[in-house]
Amino acid sequence: MTVSAHIPFLFLSLAGSARALSATKVPRPSRPINPDGWPEKFPAKDHCSRCGLCETSYVSNVLDACAFINGGMKRNIDGLEETVHGRTRCIDNSINGDDSIAEERRFGVMSRPMMLGRGKVAGAQWTGAVSSIAVSMLESKKVDAVVCIATGSDGGWSNPEPILARTVDDVLRGRGVKPALAPSLRILDELKSDESIKKLLYCGVGCSVQAFRAIEDELGLDKVYVLGTACADNSPTPKAARDFLKKGIPSIGDSNVLAYEFMQDFRVHVKVGDEKSPSYKKLPYFSLEPSVAEFAIADSCLACFDYTNALADVVVGYMGAPLVDDMDRNMQTITVRNNRGEEMIRCAIDAERLELGGTARGEGTHEKFAMSTVANDNLVNKMTGGDVKEKGMPPFVGNIIASIATKLGPKGVAFARYSIDYHILRNYLHCLREFGRDRADTMIPEYTRVIIKEYEESDQAFRDLIDKIEVS
């Protein structure tokens, strides 16, 4: 039931520049905006993540809730972490001096070290960890309803449809990642008008969770739980996600696609066939056609600094887990941030729907690996006037490079750090290009500022990229 989560389009190009937001003050809308006008008629314009808020009567809150206007990413994360979790994250880069486990700087507030876990839901994209928690909360009557992203009524794997789920069958419609922007908050008016719903579980990615937290108190609910997923580089539309596979991985042909992910072995894994007995087609990142990024990455994702979903009570991901099996059998990571999160995890364990492994661990250094990825990324080269690749590597060569990178590169939690830093550095460069340094610096949360400063101080190549953007 994971929503819209997958990892970086490494070394790909993004043609054309995203339109910058107007430098003038954004007016406060007074009525819901017709989704047919997306993105031009939405306040964040091309950087709108289509969270669904502006399609409801809560649109009047957009200036205080949106993650992509008025310094929203910084305002929401830095301003709401303590409200939501009882404290802010520790910016210190280590926990008890053990660098093999996840630290709060990158991974957010934690009530215990990040764990490994797996769910027990058939037909899920992974093992159904998110679905397992959501079903358990509903069955135990801890909540009256669950907000989740279901597969669209047309049955398409890439088509997200927000629903207010009141039954287990409804929740199970949410199995599988929908790798496109998902308007989760579109259900707010339906939720507000239903007096039978007093306890709610909200499932979403970082940008929608931020907006939800900003208006949560206006919903009149007695109890709210938030179950988040780690998220990066979604497609702007379902069609863009489908076209990515069609153009980027033509070898899938007419296969029945069930899902895809960018995995820790530097390959895209495409699940095809029948849900009961799926098979996988794999292609190294390095062999993807660079031009697919022209349409496959939403502009909002290039201005996002909430990969790890800072304001959720529990976050399910996979980047910090060792890759030892296909995704429907592999462990995932589970981050618990507060007492509500602990309650959610205990509920799923007691229902025998969730199995916890040990503490998530990793090995290897990530900084040079992250910076090398940024320096060779076609998107960054497009920003800085560098060498833009026209074709991906032949699969044979790409697989050799992927195998070497997997063997020598960071693993487990260290791999997650690498992926997080790559996105932070790339996205900061995007914001510099689109908005200039002064405005970009008002957009980034404090933890992000600290990480960027460390790279600026220690890596000449990163400073050179900044200089190229600022003088262009």
Side-chain angles (χ1 to χ4, degrees), residues 74-92 95 103-111 310-311 337-338 445-447:
K74 177 179 178 60
R75 177 193 66 235
N76 292 340
I77 294 177
D78 291 351
L80 290 176
E81 264 191 345
E82 185 171 7
T83 301
V84 172
H85 305 308
R87 64 179 179 87
T88 59
R89 73 181 70 194
C90 178
I91 300 294
D92 183 5
I95 296 180
E103 79 286 354
E104 291 197 350
R105 175 186 291 184
R106 290 175 175 81
F107 298 94
V109 172
M110 289 182 276
S111 61
L311 301 182
R337 302 206 185 283
N338 53 43
E446 178 63 14
Y447 89 92

Side-chain angles (χ1 to χ4, degrees), residues 126-155:
W126 288 81
T127 63
V130 177
S131 297
S132 295
I133 296 170
V135 168
S136 301
M137 293 289 286
L138 191 63
E139 284 184 327
S140 66
K141 302 189 184 304
K142 287 185 178 293
V143 296
D144 303 313
V146 177
V147 176
C148 60
I149 293 294
T151 299
S153 55
D154 62 358

Side-chain angles (χ1 to χ4, degrees), residues 405-426:
T406 302
K407 183 176 179 60
L408 300 181
K411 298 172 179 62
V413 168
F415 184 91
R417 291 190 187 110
Y418 149 71
S419 186
I420 291 168
D421 283 13
Y422 160 72
H423 280 93
I424 286 174
L425 300 180
R426 184 201 67 182

Side-chain angles (χ1 to χ4, degrees), residues 28 47 78 123 139 205 230 304 306 314 351 363 372 457 461 469:
R28 187 179 294 274
H47 286 86
D78 291 351
E139 284 184 327
V205 295
C304 179
D306 195 16
V314 173
E363 60 180 354
S372 176
E457 291 177 347
I469 289 175

